[in-house]
Amino acid sequence: MRIMVFNKGVAAVFLVDVGRLGDVEDLLEKVRGLGAGCEVQIFNPEMVVDWTHLEAAYVAAVLSINSGAAKSRSLGYEFLCRLAATTQVSKAIETVGVRPGSGVVGVIVLGEDVEAVSSKARKILEGLGAAEAELRPSWEKTEKIARAHSIQDMQLERIQAPNKMDAARLAIIQKISSSLL
């Protein structure tokens, strides 16, 4: 589990192995019930490059909400939008949303108090009765995410980075940042 603190907000993010997910709405209702008092959202970790990608999306969501530029009214939905580098909630859900049959699900718990957010995140993890999963970066996954963001190989070649995977991560983060404009 990662705790992110930015501005006056706190986020706890973790991945959980749910086996084979049935109904997405049931899972969302369950995690929101367990996390009552905090805002809770789920996402597809197969559309996340690494922790830096998640952190960039969280910071961009907070900035968007605080500036009044957000298209959505909740930080959870704004997080999904930034993670997908879009301003449309429906497109964000299409891009980074959880699907039936998913094995691993990302959970983000949002609030303003570190202890409360951490406590609710632990309660959700325990309540799901599932093991916490690892976020595993790979070039194959990063390439799929870059394509979903319409990032071309030609763009990656222009980015000064130690390798193509780092270049893709930077391009995705830039896309998240520019979606604030």
Side-chain angles (χ1 to χ4, degrees):
M1 180 179 317
R2 291 275 177 114
I3 303 293
M4 300 180 285
V5 179
F6 180 71
N7 207 338
K8 294 179 182 176
V10 179
V13 183
F14 58 93
L15 308 182
V16 62
D17 188 339
V18 294
R20 184 166 169 79
L21 182 62
D23 190 296
V24 174
E25 290 301 318
D26 285 348
L27 175 65
L28 190 54
E29 187 177 312
K30 183 173 185 173
V31 296
R32 286 182 174 163
L34 291 166
C38 290
E39 186 174 354
V40 181
Q41 190 55 263
I42 59 175
F43 60 92
N44 178 359
E46 284 302 308
M47 294 305 292
V48 176
V49 174
D50 58 14
W51 290 107
T52 304
H53 180 192
L54 281 169
E55 291 164 359
Y58 172 65
V59 168
V62 170
L63 290 172
S64 181
I65 289 285
N66 288 348
S67 72
K71 299 290 182 188
S72 64
R73 297 191 192 274
S74 84
L75 184 56
Y77 282 118
E78 197 62 25
F79 169 77
L80 289 182
C81 286
R82 299 305 153 200
L83 191 59
T86 184
T87 57
Q88 300 173 348
V89 173
S90 60
K91 183 158 174 34
I93 291 170
E94 180 182 315
T95 304
V96 299
V98 175
R99 305 277 182 269
S102 296
V104 178
V105 173
V107 179
I108 185 166
V109 182
L110 302 155
E112 294 182 358
D113 179 72
V114 173
E115 290 304 317
V117 169
S118 299
S119 172
K120 292 297 182 174
R122 285 190 299 276
K123 184 176 179 179
I124 292 168
L125 190 54
E126 290 168 10
L128 292 175
E132 192 167 351
E134 296 283 323
L135 181 57
R136 293 193 164 95
S138 72
W139 168 244
E140 293 76 23
K141 185 167 77 166
T142 303
E143 184 178 36
K144 178 175 99 175
I145 297 164
R147 283 194 185 127
H149 291 307
S150 302
I151 296 168
Q152 306 296 318
D153 280 342
M154 186 172 63
Q155 291 171 280
L156 299 181
E157 292 168 7
R158 293 187 210 143
I159 296 173
Q160 293 182 4
N163 55 54
K164 201 170 182 179
M165 188 164 156
D166 286 343
R169 180 190 328 102
L170 290 171
I172 292 164
I173 290 170
Q174 188 275 330
K175 194 96 166 186
I176 290 169
S177 299
S178 65
S179 69
L180 283 171
L181 304 175

